[in-house]
Amino acid sequence: MPGLEPSFILAVGTCAIQGGAMFAIEQVFRKHVSESLQGKVVMITGGSAGVGRAAARAFARQGANVALLARDVSGLEDAKAEIESFGGEARIFPADVADAEAVFAAAAQCEVELGPIDIWVNNAMATVFSPVEQLTPEEIRRVTEVTYLGYVHGTLAALRHMRPRDRGVIVQVGSSRAYRGIPLQAAYCGAKHAVRGFTDSLRTELLHHRSNVAVTAVHLPAVNTPQFEWARTRMRKAFRPVTPVYTSRAAAFAIVHAATHPKREYWLGGTTSLTIIGDMLFPGLLDRFLAREAVDRQQKEMEIGANRSDNLFSPVSGRHRTNGAFSAEARPNPAMLSAQTIRFATIAGACVLIGFAGAVFGARRASAARIEKRCRSR
């Protein structure tokens, strides 16, 4: 014990914290929900592609009637046909989530065609891969209108129908970017931070009113979706998700689980948990790590084609599908924990660290005292 170095103590402590945060992996990420969704009405924004489309299929396979809201009509029709191919029920509502009135109208029409909305999933997003100084005000405004105000509009639409009935669940699909900004995605990260603040405020108001309407957030890791093929970019090289990458199906099951077992927040994937906890504990260290690693790790070696189109201001037809170009490396089963569980585990790990450090310090003091006593006896 006397020969232990501080670096060793820090390493052991870090392992304790990480181990504590992930101690319940075996009990999470259930593929089958226990609560029946038979006949429930679920509205999903951004439902024509990626995570939204995968979630629509997952809800429909559990017996839910699904409403899909997105801009691209052909993508919506394809998603609807997929659901109907295995006997599911779906309706499509072409709209831009940045248009509040269009979202409100879609919600009202959904209630007429499918019945009362039980679950509302806010998922639509837009981004621009670019250094901050190269972003235009118009691009930042558009990302904010879709990724932040789109969630606000969807939440307001859901509350209009759920609050009078005093029931329903609102699911905010987020990511670790809601806690930790990274290079080249400032507009998106800022919008996700805004969604988290808005949702926290709403949650406290619902608690104040003792409402039975639940709001939950699912923070995702990198997911294999088409967004990396159609998002606007200022970079010369093609963009890619930071590894590890997970399947859109995994994200969909997490959303279904959160909708049927709503808790304050869920964090999907070990990288999501470690990023959020790491930012809470060591924000400066994470700044330096991301500065060194995150720019290159978000780019592929291949260059972008000269005629590449993007979906920032208008949809890109013909590319709406569930999965992106990274299926070969996408992992199917990430760990999923509630934020409360992870924070408790992290505190437990920190206590282990403090106890271990205290034991080492005590042992060193005792050893020093013995040495001093022997020296005096001579």
Side-chain angles (χ1 to χ4, degrees), residues 38-69:
Q38 192 69 39
K40 295 289 181 70
V41 176
V42 182
M43 172 70 87
I44 303 173
T45 71
S48 62
V51 170
R53 187 163 175 165
R57 291 200 312 221
F59 277 111
R61 287 190 182 279
Q62 294 289 340
N65 299 323
V66 179
L68 304 171
L69 190 154

Side-chain angles (χ1 to χ4, degrees), residues 114-179:
L114 289 177
I117 298 170
D118 298 289
I119 298 167
W120 186 292
V121 180
N122 284 312
N123 166 76
M125 54 80 65
T127 189
V128 179
F129 297 115
S130 170
V132 170
E133 67 267 22
Q134 295 181 27
L135 288 167
T136 68
E138 292 75 21
E139 289 170 339
I140 296 173
R141 183 179 300 110
R142 177 60 183 170
V143 171
T144 304
E145 287 174 345
V146 175
T147 310
Y148 170 54
L149 291 180
Y151 277 53
V152 172
H153 299 158
T155 301
L156 293 176
L159 290 172
R160 283 188 175 188
H161 298 279
M162 293 178 179
R163 284 284 281 134
R165 295 191 289 261
D166 196 30
R167 63 179 174 85
V169 180
I170 299 170
V171 182
Q172 313 286 44
V173 179
S175 77
S176 60
R177 309 296 175 251
Y179 283 87

Side-chain angles (χ1 to χ4, degrees), residues 37-347:
L37 285 165
Q38 192 69 39
K40 295 289 181 70
V41 176
V42 182
M43 172 70 87
I44 303 173
T45 71
S48 62
V51 170
R53 187 163 175 165
R57 291 200 312 221
F59 277 111
R61 287 190 182 279
Q62 294 289 340
N65 299 323
V66 179
L68 304 171
L69 190 154
R71 292 177 298 173
D72 188 74
V73 176
S74 62
L76 286 170
E77 289 176 341
D78 288 345
K80 179 175 181 286
E82 277 184 1
I83 291 170
E84 291 176 340
S85 69
F86 55 79
E89 180 77 14
R91 296 287 191 278
I92 63 172
F93 300 93
D96 186 339
V97 293
D99 183 344
E101 294 304 321
V103 175
F104 297 158
Q109 188 61 30
C110 174
E111 294 240 332
V112 172
E113 295 186 19
L114 289 177
I117 298 170
D118 298 289
I119 298 167
W120 186 292
V121 180
N122 284 312
N123 166 76
M125 54 80 65
T127 189
V128 179
F129 297 115
S130 170
V132 170
E133 67 267 22
Q134 295 181 27
L135 288 167
T136 68
E138 292 75 21
E139 289 170 339
I140 296 173
R141 183 179 300 110
R142 177 60 183 170
V143 171
T144 304
E145 287 174 345
V146 175
T147 310
Y148 170 54
L149 291 180
Y151 277 53
V152 172
H153 299 158
T155 301
L156 293 176
L159 290 172
R160 283 188 175 188
H161 298 279
M162 293 178 179
R163 284 284 281 134
R165 295 191 289 261
D166 196 30
R167 63 179 174 85
V169 180
I170 299 170
V171 182
Q172 313 286 44
V173 179
S175 77
S176 60
R177 309 296 175 251
Y179 283 87
R180 173 72 235 188
I182 65 171
L184 307 181
Q185 295 200 50
Y188 175 78
C189 293
K192 284 298 185 185
H193 274 72
V195 170
R196 186 163 65 91
F198 172 81
T199 302
D200 287 348
S201 294
L202 169 62
R203 187 182 292 110
T204 60
E205 291 177 10
L206 292 173
L207 287 170
H208 173 76
H209 293 295
R210 298 181 180 177
S211 172
N212 288 316
V213 176
V215 58
T216 182
V218 184
H219 294 298
L220 304 178
V223 181
N224 177 34
T225 71
Q227 68 154 311
F228 301 94
E229 301 164 42
W230 61 31
R232 179 167 293 192
T233 178
R234 290 278 188 276
M235 310 305 291
R236 181 172 54 86
K237 294 181 179 179
F239 244 72
R240 60 153 295 129
V242 177
T243 55
V245 183
Y246 294 94
T247 64
S248 56
R249 185 170 179 266
F253 278 122
I255 292 167
V256 173
H257 179 84
T260 53
H261 303 80
K263 294 186 178 181
R264 189 178 191 279
E265 286 187 354
Y266 286 96
W267 298 348
L268 185 67
T271 52
T272 301
S273 302
L274 292 177
T275 298
I276 296 172
I277 294 296
D279 189 59
M280 292 176 180
L281 298 175
F282 311 109
L285 183 63
L286 201 53
D287 284 343
R288 292 188 288 275
F289 173 78
L290 292 170
R292 186 178 67 247
E293 300 289 338
V295 173
D296 290 339
R297 289 178 64 182
Q298 292 184 85
Q299 299 179 80
K300 298 194 290 187
E301 289 302 318
M302 61 181 292
E303 294 192 1
I304 295 175
N307 298 320
R308 180 182 182 275
S309 55
D310 66 68
N311 74 336
L312 185 60
F313 290 99
S314 59
V316 178
S317 297
R319 299 188 195 174
H320 288 71
R321 58 187 190 279
T322 302
N323 298 311
F326 304 93
S327 296
E329 62 182 276
R331 303 180 185 183
N333 295 313
M336 178 176 168
L337 294 169
S338 70
Q340 181 180 5
T341 299
I342 296 171
R343 289 189 177 103
F344 174 80
T346 302
I347 292 171

